[in-house]
Amino acid sequence: MNDQIRTKEVRLVGPAGEQVGIVSIDKALQLAADVDLDLVEVAPTARPPVCKLMDYGKYKYESAQKARASRRNQQQTVIKEMKLRPKIDKHDYETKKGHIVRFLTAGDKVKITIMFRGREQSRPELGRRLLDKLAEELKDLAVIESAAKQDGRNMIMVVAPIRPKGEIVKGGGGGGRKSGRGGDAEQAEAAPEAAPAEAPSEAADEASTETPEA
């Protein structure tokens, strides 16, 4: 910028974006001084370098404002996780489906994990059948983003809300039951890409994960 520019001539652009042409650096600096603006190098690798006349302080301020506004408007993608057993009873199934509905209604994606134990690992069709049932019952709220697939001792499916997050009013059905250890059975924890560790009890099967997606 200004006297820091080390070149004999530049391709000059006026404050309104008009092309002035190739001029000596001395002339460019004089033109900048005449209109009380800065000479800013905007394309240093061009031959000759491209410089523009601008109010650099104002430019930095406006750029910072735009960056802040962009960050405020940027929607954070969140992935929740719900864990189920292939032989889950009807009451627990309805409870956990209610949590999934609430997550989707809030605009979040949901990673649904079926956890197999012992001999259940030889019956993957049980998990697939359960995921197909969920997908069918959630079809008015969600689309399948990642189809059911085996991942070690687990089977995983990811569903995403049909409508964008900004159009969805937070709330929705499905209340959570309380854990026998006290507190909500729906525990917030990170949802890793790898298969989650096996929960020691049924109360730990259910977990929600908030993972910002880059």
Side-chain angles (χ1 to χ4, degrees), residues 13-32:
V13 179
E18 68 277 16
Q19 296 290 329
V20 177
I22 297 175
V23 299
S24 68
I25 185 64
D26 292 335
K27 182 176 181 180
L29 288 170
Q30 185 58 53
L31 288 172

Side-chain angles (χ1 to χ4, degrees), residues 10-182:
V10 298
R11 184 178 297 277
L12 187 63
V13 179
E18 68 277 16
Q19 296 290 329
V20 177
I22 297 175
V23 299
S24 68
I25 185 64
D26 292 335
K27 182 176 181 180
L29 288 170
Q30 185 58 53
L31 288 172
D34 290 344
V35 291
D36 196 24
L37 293 174
D38 297 301
L39 182 67
V40 180
E41 194 174 59
V42 294
T45 58
R47 291 291 176 267
V50 179
C51 294
K52 185 176 181 180
L53 299 176
M54 67 171 72
D55 184 334
Y56 188 64
K58 181 180 179 182
Y59 168 76
K60 284 186 66 178
Y61 174 77
E62 290 178 347
S63 296
Q65 290 289 92
K66 288 178 182 178
R68 278 195 291 270
S70 177
R71 285 194 295 270
R72 281 197 301 270
N73 294 331
Q74 188 178 37
Q75 293 179 353
Q76 192 176 41
T77 301
V78 176
I79 299 179
K80 303 283 189 176
E81 181 176 20
M82 188 59 61
K83 300 177 182 178
L84 299 86
R85 296 291 308 283
K87 295 181 180 179
I88 187 170
D89 64 48
K90 183 176 180 180
H91 172 74
D92 285 346
Y93 172 82
E94 292 299 330
T95 297
K96 294 191 176 188
K97 186 181 77 171
H99 291 316
I100 295 171
V101 169
R102 180 160 52 84
F103 295 150
L104 292 168
T105 305
D108 299 321
K109 297 180 182 180
V110 184
K111 176 182 176 181
I112 305 169
T113 302
I114 307 297
M115 302 184 301
F116 297 95
R117 294 178 185 167
R119 294 181 180 179
E120 292 174 348
Q121 296 179 58
S122 64
R123 300 286 306 279
E125 68 275 9
L126 295 177
R128 190 172 299 277
R129 195 179 304 145
L130 183 58
L131 290 176
D132 288 344
K133 178 182 178 182
L134 264 172
E136 175 64 23
E137 294 178 359
L138 296 171
K139 64 182 180 181
D140 292 336
L141 288 175
V143 293
I144 298 175
E145 186 172 272
S146 178
K149 63 180 180 180
Q150 194 78 24
D151 184 4
R153 290 184 296 180
N154 300 325
M155 184 173 286
I156 295 170
M157 178 176 75
V158 178
V159 294
I162 292 176
R163 293 178 294 173
K165 188 165 187 172
E167 295 181 12
I168 297 176
V169 178
K170 293 207 170 194
R177 56 191 175 91
K178 297 296 181 180
S179 165
R181 294 172 296 180

